[in-house]
Amino acid sequence: MIQKTKRNYTILTVVFTFLCIVWVYPIVTILLNSLKDTKSITTRDVFNLPNSKTFAGISNYVESITGMNFLRSFFFSLLISLTSVALILLCCSMAAWYVVRVNSLIAKIFYYLCIFSMVVPFQMVMFTLATTADRIKLNTPYNICVIYLGFGAGLAVFMFTGFVKSIPLEIEEAAMIDGCSPIQTYFKVLVPILKPTIISTAILETMWVWNDYLLPTLVLDIKKYRTIPMAIQYFRGSYGTVNMGAMMASIMIDIIPIIIMYLVCQKYIIEGVIAGAVKG
Amino acid sequence: MVGKTIKKYWPIFLLPTAAAFCIGFLWPFVWGIYLSFCQFTTVSKVTFVGFSNYAKIMLDNTFSHAFWLTVLFAILSSVIINVMAFLIALALTKKIKGTNVFRTIFFMPNLIGGIVLGYIWQTLLNGILMSLGQPLLALSATNGFWGMIILLSWQQIGYMMIIYIAGLNNVPGDLIEAAQVDGANSWQTLFRIKIPMIMPSVTICTFLTLTNGFKMFDQNLSLTGGDPQKASQLLALNIYDTFYARSGPQWKGIGQAKAVVFFLIVVVIALAQLRLTTSKEVQQ
């Protein structure tokens, strides 16, 4: 009987190896195509491997970086993600602490509104949000993080309050009796305890902001500022002939940092997903 | 004591988030509801028209088409993703070789954004369709629909799989052992013990996949763009299209009214899920 299960497991391993090849195949196809010269990337020849005639080396990548100004988009994406996530983590963990410990009527209303905001689809507010952002000049990559804080507060406040509730009050009381001000208590006592939740929330919010397309498209001036998803959509959506080689290279430039980051902090990403799902 | 002390510090702790929340969500939301009763092209010239925007939604047959397509899409993708994710999770919680590698690979597509995903699959699927002699994605709504299903499955199976694996790992081992001692075969352990024990995960995943299917926008925009002739538009893209791609003074108001209807549908799904979760908790 043991031998039988062992054989079954070998079959399973083979099946899964095959399935995994299918799973990475789309990305490999894009990678191979990004190495071909532009004329050879047609719908008919997508599955042809690059050969000596069609191999273009890294020229598509050069074209993508210089011709499309892709580094600039990369910079904007990075800037927006970093500032937004940092702001969300700091402000929302503070707000969550306030909500749990003060527990006044206003705090409760704020908390339930946050939960409510998680259900609302973005299309509901897109027009009015873009107009509001325009009016109060929150429409550059340098301050769009305020908008992200507002729209992303729901999930972050929800995750943090869930965790703060499980922290015994005595720890904070002891710190305050010893003479800590609330701000010191927050940074020296609360932040270290919250660290796992901070990491999970940071990952969920980064995945959202880095890949977000519609919000920056509506809020930012597309002629001046383009994040990576905006650049790719703008590039592909514009009329006329599309430089397919540069397009494939741009996709790869977008994916590669994500995959590297994923392989490095895989453990935290998967824990973050589980934490987010169990609470959400 | 802690509460009393930090209450005075509300300008530091609560105000920044609350203010941003008002700018980024609350005010646009309330204003959006008001605008759904108005006719406007820019916000400086708004005329109140009552429910006429809502009445006009019904005349716009692209909306009802997008609505039913989205319902079908959300249900179908939810079933496919959940069944596949559960089967994979079940296999990967057995001690087969390379589990971690498989898990890593299945989860990976989740990190890629919707726009990029759309173009990856557009390239690939068009290549396949052409070699099969089928019409390309932009020319056939049926192919576009199935393309979106394949895309969303590829993206989300890994995510749901992680949740199911976490659920399955939480099933106490002695419970399964006890069942085996009592003579239960592996099918019985699966249906009588494992599945009932992970019902919370099933609820979460069903809810997540349903709402994700309903709200899907980026992938729809980049994979098919709604072609041919808006036939592959899902609700979110239909609303966007009504807002930004049509000329005429009435469309923005109608778009906002559609958005309110869309919001109400999502709320109904969320409430159903909440009800389901709490009723199960009572039973346990």
Side-chain angles (χ1 to χ4, degrees), chain A residues 9-10 12-13 16-17 19-20 22-27 29-30 33 41 43-44 46-47 91-92 94-95 97-99 101-102 104 106-107 110 113-114 116-132 135-136 138 146-147 149-151 153-154 157 169 172-173 176-177 181-183 186 204 207 210-214 217-218 228-229 232-233 236-237 244 247-248 251 254-255 258-259 261-263 266 269-270 273-274 276-278 280, chain B residues 1-10 12-14 16-18 20-29 31-33 35 40-44 84 87-88 91-92 94-98 100-116 119-128 130-131 136 153-155 157-159 162-163 166 204 207-208 215 217-218 221-222 235-237 239-240 243-244 252 256 259-260 262-263 266-267 270 273:
Chain A
Y9 285 175
T10 321
L12 266 182
T13 310
F16 273 95
T17 312
L19 210 56
C20 280
V22 173
W23 229 250
V24 292
Y25 183 69
I27 296 173
T29 311
I30 300 294
N33 276 296
I41 310 172
T43 307
R44 194 175 296 281
V46 159
F47 300 111
C91 294
C92 292
M94 282 182 163
W97 188 41
Y98 184 93
V99 165
R101 294 299 182 230
V102 174
S104 62
I106 292 178
F110 172 73
L113 280 175
C114 280
F116 172 70
S117 78
M118 291 198 292
V119 184
V120 177
F122 183 68
Q123 276 71 22
M124 175 66 211
V125 296
M126 65 177 179
F127 179 75
T128 42
L129 176 63
T131 316
T132 314
R135 276 193 178 169
I136 52 177
L138 289 174
V146 178
I147 302 286
L149 172 62
F151 198 73
V157 168
L169 193 62
E172 292 151 40
E173 263 174 3
M176 284 194 176
I177 289 169
S181 72
I183 293 172
Y186 169 78
L204 290 178
M207 277 164 60
W210 177 267
N211 290 325
D212 199 16
Y213 165 73
L214 195 51
T217 309
L218 295 177
I228 293 179
I232 288 177
Q233 173 65 17
R236 191 59 211 271
M244 284 305 280
M247 174 83 192
M248 298 293 143
I251 291 177
D254 176 60
I255 297 178
I258 302 175
I259 292 181
M261 194 198 79
Y262 170 55
L263 294 178
Q266 201 200 128
I269 291 178
I270 288 179
V273 165
I274 295 170
V278 171
Chain B
M1 183 199 128
V2 177
K4 267 189 185 161
T5 331
I6 63 172
K7 197 170 182 182
K8 278 177 258 161
Y9 280 73
W10 64 270
I12 297 171
F13 287 115
L14 190 63
T17 315
F21 186 69
C22 289
I23 297 170
F25 174 75
L26 207 55
W27 166 244
F29 180 76
W31 195 18
I33 290 184
L35 283 182
F40 60 98
T41 38
T42 55
V43 284
S44 51
M84 287 285 292
L87 290 178
I88 292 175
L92 292 188
K94 296 198 167 79
K95 287 175 186 60
I96 59 172
K97 268 184 200 148
N100 282 332
V101 180
F102 296 146
R103 206 182 292 191
T104 307
I105 289 175
F106 285 128
F107 185 78
M108 190 180 56
N110 251 291
L111 300 154
I112 304 172
I115 294 289
V116 173
Y119 289 124
I120 292 176
W121 278 96
Q122 194 187 51
T123 313
L124 201 71
L125 288 174
N126 273 342
I128 294 172
M130 183 161 244
S131 56
L136 301 188
S153 307
W154 186 69
Q155 185 188 11
I157 282 174
Y159 194 101
I162 293 289
I163 300 175
I204 293 167
F207 172 66
L208 280 176
K215 289 182 181 177
F217 176 82
D218 292 3
L221 179 71
S222 53
L235 267 182
L237 185 60
I239 293 168
Y240 176 83
F243 255 106
Y244 295 104
K252 283 213 161 53
Q256 189 64 52
V260 173
F262 182 41
F263 153 71
V266 177
V267 167
Q273 191 249 355

Side-chain angles (χ1 to χ4, degrees), chain B residues 165-182:
Chain B
I165 287 178
L168 285 169
N169 284 339
N170 279 341
V171 177
D174 41 356
L175 211 61
I176 293 168
E177 238 166 66
Q180 278 163 352
V181 170
D182 287 350

